[in-house]
Amino acid sequence: MKLMDFFRKKSSRDIARDRLKLLLVSDRASCSTQIMESIKNDMIQVISKYMVIDTEGLDIQITMAESENGTLPVLFANIPIRDIKTTEK
């Protein structure tokens, strides 16, 4: 990974694509866009404590799945991991 990738400015196309994805996901989950954005940000914050992740490649989807109790919403998160952080005690 290049250091300059962290400072790369997103194009308006990338921003629009991310917003559209988030809108579609929130529509499937029947929850607001703000809640979906909060979930995404919380996941990034927690996972970033332990791993270096590609936040631009992060993909969150909510789909419906059959279970013993009927059809339920399921959260799928595809999070590209760049490196594992090592902790020294």
Side-chain angles (χ1 to χ4, degrees), residues 2 10 12-13 21 27 29 34 50-51 57 59-60 66 69-70 73 79 83 86 88:
K2 297 177 185 171
K10 281 188 169 183
S12 60
R13 181 191 71 168
K21 278 184 180 179
D27 185 49
Q34 292 83 10
Y50 308 100
M51 301 172 189
D59 184 28
I60 297 174
E66 290 293 326
N69 300 326
I79 305 168
D83 196 11
T86 56
E88 295 180 20

Side-chain angles (χ1 to χ4, degrees), residues 1-8 51-57 80-85:
M1 181 178 87
K2 297 177 185 171
L3 180 61
M4 295 307 291
D5 288 346
F6 286 113
F7 302 107
R8 183 175 61 98
M51 301 172 189
V52 178
I53 61 173
D54 178 9
T55 56
E56 292 180 20
I81 299 170
R82 293 186 182 261
D83 196 11
I84 304 293
K85 293 182 179 178

Side-chain angles (χ1 to χ4, degrees), residues 8-71:
R8 183 175 61 98
K9 189 174 183 180
K10 281 188 169 183
S11 69
S12 60
R13 181 191 71 168
D14 291 335
I15 293 169
R17 184 190 66 212
D18 290 346
R19 287 182 182 164
L20 180 58
K21 278 184 180 179
L22 193 58
L23 180 64
L24 292 172
V25 168
S26 63
D27 185 49
R28 288 184 193 156
S30 299
C31 65
S32 71
T33 307
Q34 292 83 10
I35 292 173
M36 289 304 297
E37 186 68 32
S38 294
I39 291 170
K40 180 179 176 181
N41 290 335
D42 288 348
M43 290 176 68
I44 290 170
Q45 183 180 13
V46 170
I47 294 170
S48 292
K49 289 180 183 180
Y50 308 100
M51 301 172 189
V52 178
I53 61 173
D54 178 9
T55 56
E56 292 180 20
L58 184 107
D59 184 28
I60 297 174
Q61 296 180 12
I62 296 180
T63 60
M64 302 304 282
E66 290 293 326
S67 74
E68 296 173 356
N69 300 326
T71 304

